[in-house]
Each structure stands twice: as C-alpha cells, then as structure tokens.
Amino acid sequence: MGLLGRTGSGKTTLTRLLFRFYDPGQGEIRLADMPLPALKLANLRSRIGLVTQEVQLFDGTLRENLAFFDDRIPDDKILGALHELGLTDWLARFPAGLDTRLGVTGQGVSAGEAQLIAFTRVLLKDVGLVILDEASSRLDPLTERLIETAIDRLLYNRTGIIIAHRLATVQRVDDILILEQGRMREYGPRNALAADPASRYAHLLTTDLTEVLA
C-alpha cells in the first residue's frame, strides 16, 4: 500500500500506532485480524521492519552495522541477504568487505548506501510487514538503481506500506491511501484510482508530488 499525504496528515502517526509506541484514543488496529493489544509487544515489533528517512549507523564494521552487533548472525547469512537484495557488487566496493570500518556518522557511506544497510537489516530480521518511509530527497544517483531493485526484492511476498515522497516508488504498490488532517481522503486500488480523472491520486499523477504533498 502506498501512503500519501501532506506533512502533518498522520502518516508517521500511523506507523507509530502499528508499533504501539502509543495506542489510539478510540477505535482499534488489527494485525492479521488480531487486535494489537492482544499481541505481545516484543513479538509484534519483531515482525515489523521499519526503514525511516534517518538511518542510524554506528562506530563499527560494516558487518556489525548490518547485523546490529548480533554475533549470532553468521557471515554467510549476511552475504546471502546482500545477494538477495542485489547488493553483491555494492559490497565489493568496500576495501575490506564486511570488515570495513564505518564511523559513527557513517563515514565513507552515502545517504543512499545507508538506506541499503537499513534494507539489509530488515531482510535479516525476516519480518512479515515492511514499512518504508522513502527518503527520496536523500538518494544519490549512484545508488538509486540499487535501492529500487532492493525495494522490489525486500517487498517480495511481504506486506508493505510505503510512505511515498515521489511517484516512481508508489508505482509498485497495489493500493493507495491518501490522508488529510488525520482522516482518510481516498483509498482504493492504484490502477483504478489512476484511471479515474476525478480521483485525488489521478490529480497527483499530473502534478509535482513534492509540491502537492509538502
């Protein structure tokens, strides 16, 4: 599902509700037809992967950053995840491979490459629901193609929610949800909405999305 809306419309709030950072004042959120409060918090959060606009990197090796310092994750699993995401050639750019040292600010890693690290973390976590807060404004040309491929492979056979900031990414979704002031303005199959000239989504297709949703 592609989630669209202006700043302050409720997109980030929705993701926080799914993680139960807080609960709704009224109504109910269900996941796999189960009310969220009925699920153990640790189990709930272990099944959801979130990639935000800000990727936290740590002073450590690339391996440690990919595995979140979990020594139980073997190298072959990390390499397998990178291969699955189409990042084997990207890894080869690092002089010492997985042993390449990264600074606390991600020294030597671009903003786009930080996104690739975040995608690999989610794949290693093997979640059922992936939430991507796409940071298109921070993409660099060298990694844009890698990111697009990685997103396709990360979402394969998983439920995905994409908070979209550009139409190129939202073209891959099945359904569109547009929020305005915390309320659902429009919801439906992407193709059907795109074909309806009266729909809000069809209007977005003919305008600058970054301006309309600013």
Side-chain angles (χ1 to χ4, degrees), residues 63-191:
R63 175 191 294 104
E64 290 168 332
N65 274 274
L66 290 168
F68 260 142
F69 294 85
D70 188 346
D71 295 333
R72 297 171 299 176
I73 300 179
D75 283 4
D76 59 349
K77 185 173 182 179
I78 295 174
L79 294 173
L82 291 169
H83 176 73
E84 185 174 343
L85 292 175
L87 300 178
T88 301
D89 290 341
W90 172 74
L91 175 63
R93 301 177 188 173
F94 291 87
L98 294 177
D99 292 320
T100 303
R101 194 85 186 176
L102 303 183
V104 67
T105 59
Q107 183 178 3
V109 176
S110 70
E113 289 176 316
Q115 290 287 314
L116 297 176
I117 291 173
F119 293 155
T120 308
R121 290 171 176 172
V122 172
L123 188 62
L124 287 170
K125 194 177 175 183
D126 193 22
V127 300
L129 172 61
V130 178
I131 302 173
L132 301 179
D133 189 349
E134 187 211 4
S136 60
S137 62
R138 303 182 70 232
L139 295 186
D140 55 88
L142 292 177
T143 55
E144 184 170 5
R145 180 181 58 82
L146 289 174
I147 285 175
E148 290 299 308
T149 299
I151 289 175
D152 284 336
R153 297 185 180 184
L154 180 62
L155 293 178
Y156 179 74
N157 206 30
R158 291 182 173 89
T159 299
I161 298 176
I162 298 178
I163 300 176
H165 301 283
R166 62 176 188 158
L167 290 174
T169 300
V170 84
Q171 293 303 310
R172 59 168 48 86
V173 306
D174 301 297
D175 299 310
I176 293 290
L177 171 61
I178 298 179
L179 293 177
E180 286 189 5
Q181 298 181 344
R183 295 182 177 274
M184 183 173 65
R185 167 69 182 269
E186 186 170 83
Y187 175 74
R190 178 179 59 82
N191 289 335

